[in-house]
């Protein structure tokens, strides 16, 4: 079987590419060319039969990923299915199952069966759980087996921390926050205890063979992403980034689609440099960023701090935003946290796409302006990125009047739009 990458390189335009291109208002030939060049990916494991073809790349609308999944002490299958429903309804483009603990295989299987969104995982979580949570029992073979099992189930993309090498451990230890990536910290501890190179890196050819067989997109994990502003853009982060660039080329040589994950906590003024450096070092592979979170002191509001950074990152070339919720750094997100995180990052993505000049995206803003000028409330709610909340807010603040040609912000007498309508009528009389 040929992967989407190989089909595109052979000049074949698949049905999946056509569907994804139509959703992006581009011609299929352009989409296929971008996939062939590796500057876009179409994450679609054939075993995930319900999956909606979705393209990720700088030319296209910025996508939003939502992370869900149980922890060892919280949630279960029913709880995670509720989160999945929330993710879909809130408008995310991708979803990742980061479950750890009991029953994770069943959770992932059910997500694949139910989700029309491309599904991603971090296979080291399952491998570590199979090793009874004991790093000394984790083996390279166990890691590869977890990847193979999840690929067979239908996982569309996988975060694999293959660029974090033994030589990076000493420099990462100098950081204020050290290693904040869950998967990155596990692989770092494994290397230190076994005095061996990263097994993902050592077994990379075997991993690529599995990913090729199932057309799984590799998402090269940033195990050394900065977890605070003080660690941003440091030696450890960029040492790993250079290795990720080399792995991008090995993926392409093997006919496997690849994107690259990025920071993390980054001061606003360093975002452009970080994005441009990734594009250069990683040969144009799509960039999948966590935020970036632009301040360390927004606890409870980290979805806002992340959305601020996400708009800047997407404008400068990031293609996929991983959401952050209000619960970031505090605990496992609730359903409401998930919804708020998705909407915040959809706003960030939309704002970036408007700034990038995507006319079909901007049309939604123009339509909203028309609806507001006409006091067409139903149309406004349908166009809003969270129309349900907008409607609830409007109705809860509406006064007792049955009139709907104003809102309670200014009241009928001081409504600027009503005044403007009278002004236009007066000018029309005079003309």
């Amino acid at each position: 079987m040929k992967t989407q990458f190989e089909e595109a390189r052979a000049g074949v335009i698949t049905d999946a590419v056509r569907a994804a291109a139509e959703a992006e208002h581009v011609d299929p030939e352009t989409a296929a060319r971008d996939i062939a060049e590796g500057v876009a990916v179409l994450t679609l494991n054939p075993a995930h039969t319900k999956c909606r073809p979705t393209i990720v790349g700088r030319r296209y609308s910025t996508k939003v990923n939502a992370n869900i999944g149980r922890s060892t002490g919280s949630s279960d299958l029913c709880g995670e299915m509720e989160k999945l429903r929330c993710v879909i309804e809130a408008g995310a483009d991708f979803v990742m199952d980061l479950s750890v603990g009991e029953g994770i295989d069943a959770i992932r299987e059910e997500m694949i069966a139910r989700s029309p969104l491309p599904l991603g995982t971090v296979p080291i979580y399952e491998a570590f759980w199979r090793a009874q949570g004991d790093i000394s029992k984790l083996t390279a073979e166990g890691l590869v087996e977890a990847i193979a099992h999840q690929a067979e189930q239908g996982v569309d993309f996988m975060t694999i921390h293959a660029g974090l090498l033994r030589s990076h451990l000493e420099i990462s230890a100098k950081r204020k926050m050290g290693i904040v990536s869950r998967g990155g910290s596990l692989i770092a501890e494994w290397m230190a205890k076994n005095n061996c190179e990263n097994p993902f890196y050592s077994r990379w050819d075997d991993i690529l063979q599995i990913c090729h067989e199932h057309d799984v997109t590799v998402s090269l994990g940033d195990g050394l992403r900065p977890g605070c502003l003080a660690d941003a853009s440091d030696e450890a982060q960029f040492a790993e980034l250079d290795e990720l660039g080399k792995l991008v080329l090995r993926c392409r040589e093997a006919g496997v689609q690849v994107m690259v994950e990025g920071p993390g906590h980054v001061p606003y003024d360093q975002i452009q440099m970080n994005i441009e450096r990734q594009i250069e070092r990683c040969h144009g592979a799509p960039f999948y960023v966590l935020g970036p979170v632009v301040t360390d002191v927004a606890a409870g509001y980290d979805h806002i701090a992340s959305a601020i950074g996400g708009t800047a990152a997407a404008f400068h070339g990031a293609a996929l935003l991983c959401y952050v919720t209000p619960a970031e750094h505090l605990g496992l997100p609730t359903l409401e946290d998930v919804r708020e995180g998705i909407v915040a990052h959809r706003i960030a993505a939309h704002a970036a796409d408007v700034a990038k000049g995507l006319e079909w995206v901007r049309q939604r803003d123009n339509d909203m302006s028309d609806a507001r000028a006409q006091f067409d409330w139903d149309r406004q709610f349908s166009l809003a990125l969270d129309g349900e909340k907008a409607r609830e807010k409007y109705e809860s603040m509406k006064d007792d009047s049955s009139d709907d040609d104003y809102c309670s912000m200014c009241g009928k007498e001081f409504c600027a739009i009503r005044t403007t309508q009278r002004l236009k009528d007066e000018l029309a009389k005079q003309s």
Side-chain angles (χ1 to χ4, degrees), residues 263-309:
H265 288 234
V266 178
Y268 191 91
D269 61 298
Q270 295 179 21
I271 292 175
Q272 180 177 356
M273 176 272 291
N274 268 265
I275 302 299
E276 291 175 349
R277 184 167 182 149
Q278 184 276 342
I279 292 170
E280 179 209 346
R281 300 298 173 89
C282 295
H283 316 286
F287 204 14
Y288 170 25
V289 297
L290 181 68
V293 179
V294 295
T295 177
D296 296 336
V297 295
Y301 298 90
D302 275 315
H303 59 309
I304 297 174
S306 176
I308 291 169

Side-chain angles (χ1 to χ4, degrees), residues 26-161:
V26 300
D27 60 88
E29 291 76 14
T30 297
R33 184 170 60 251
D34 286 346
I35 293 169
E37 293 175 0
V39 298
V41 296
L42 198 159
T43 52
L44 185 63
N45 184 330
H48 187 182
T49 55
K50 193 174 182 178
C51 186
R52 181 170 63 225
T54 306
I55 194 166
V56 177
R58 292 189 299 279
R59 185 193 303 275
Y60 308 95
S61 61
T62 306
K63 305 305 188 297
V64 173
N65 171 74
N67 292 337
I68 57 176
R70 63 155 294 163
S71 72
T72 52
S74 301
S75 191
D76 54 18
L77 176 61
C78 291
E80 294 313 309
M81 292 310 104
E82 274 296 291
K83 287 182 186 175
L84 177 62
R85 178 191 58 77
C86 178
V87 165
I88 296 168
E89 290 180 356
D93 304 288
F94 287 75
V95 62
M96 289 194 77
D97 173 26
L98 305 188
S99 293
V100 294
E102 295 287 353
I104 57 177
D105 199 59
I107 289 173
R108 183 172 52 251
E109 196 169 280
E110 194 67 19
M111 284 188 184
I112 292 169
R114 296 192 188 192
S115 177
L117 310 181
L119 178 75
T121 60
V122 185
I124 192 173
Y125 297 166
E126 180 172 8
F128 185 59
W129 184 251
R130 287 181 179 179
Q132 291 92 47
D134 185 344
I135 200 70
S136 65
K137 296 180 180 178
L138 183 65
T139 65
E141 194 58 39
L143 290 167
V144 174
E145 287 175 359
I147 291 171
H149 173 63
Q150 293 185 12
E152 290 168 2
Q153 281 185 301
V155 171
D156 300 291
F157 65 103
M158 297 183 190
T159 294
I160 303 176
H161 300 91

